Amino acid sequence: MTRAQLVEQIRKKGSYLCVGLDPDLSKIPAHLLASPDPVFEFNKQIIDATHEYCVAYKPNLAFYEALGPKGWESLQKTIEYIPKDLFTIADAKRGDIGNTASLYAKAFFERMNFDSITVAPYMGEDSVKPFLEFKNKWVVLLVHTSNPGSADFQLLESKTGRKLYEEVILKSQQWGTPENMMYVVGATRADKIGEIRKLAPEHFFLVPGVGAQGGDLEEVSKMGMNKDCGLLVNSSRAIIYASSGRDFAEAAKRESQKLQLEMSKYLEQNGVT
Ligand code: OMP
């Protein structure tokens, strides 16, 4: 998907919501466990219930890989089921030497037809560039993550006086463009989103951490939105596990609609309509 197509979707739907598809067999409603593919059945009903209110889906690979070959099958079926006008993110957090990275890119962009993949930047340029060679596919680079441990390395000061995550943003802008690279910026530190926006005015940010991790949508939107929106805000557990009963899809619909309504207000306030 191109940047223009993504922005068009955001304007059309009045939403920059990304729904995280993190299906956990210990959490999905018990009545689904008897179906032949409970993970796909769960995702299918979540997608049916939420696709009007979001512009992206982000399956996190851990939840599928943990189930072995069956998990990969559920993932493949899920990606094929997502409507083609929605942006898809393989949350795989890959990062390896060039020839290996090329095969990761093939796996997710060609075999599975994802629009994008999350990538860790710390092995440097040759580990990221192979992902950028695919037309209309995106790298979503980890910059300032939402977890407590993000401070361990990302906030270290380099000899230039800048933090490591700032170096990542500045350096990586020599590799990719706002047309094929996004940055992961956790919602749990909205103040950082404002600082990062100054370093990368045009790029899209994937912002996880709203909902279960306590990030604030209003604050994130105020600090991070640019003229094209420039944000994809992810929520996983707060949407997909809004109810653990037979009404889980209805509950997911309610939660995603609530976020979409709030998002449409912020888009309007920022003139992104
Ligand atoms: P919830 O906390 O349930 O909304 O899920 C957040 C999702 O975003 C999970 O799939 C995480 O792996 C992912 N995530 C973070 O929570 N923090 C980050 O900094 C980066 C990611 C990610 O790359 O998506």
Side-chain angles (χ1 to χ4, degrees), residues 232-249:
L232 288 177
V233 172
N234 181 83
S235 179
S236 306
R237 285 166 292 178
I239 293 178
I240 66 178
Y241 305 125
S243 161
S244 56
R246 285 183 179 272
D247 63 341
F248 74 97

Side-chain angles (χ1 to χ4, degrees), residues 71-88:
W72 282 97
E73 222 176 272
S74 308
L75 178 63
Q76 178 88 50
K77 279 152 76 181
T78 300
I79 187 77
E80 281 164 12
Y81 190 74
I82 294 171
K84 295 293 163 266
D85 53 355
L86 279 96
F87 190 77
T88 52

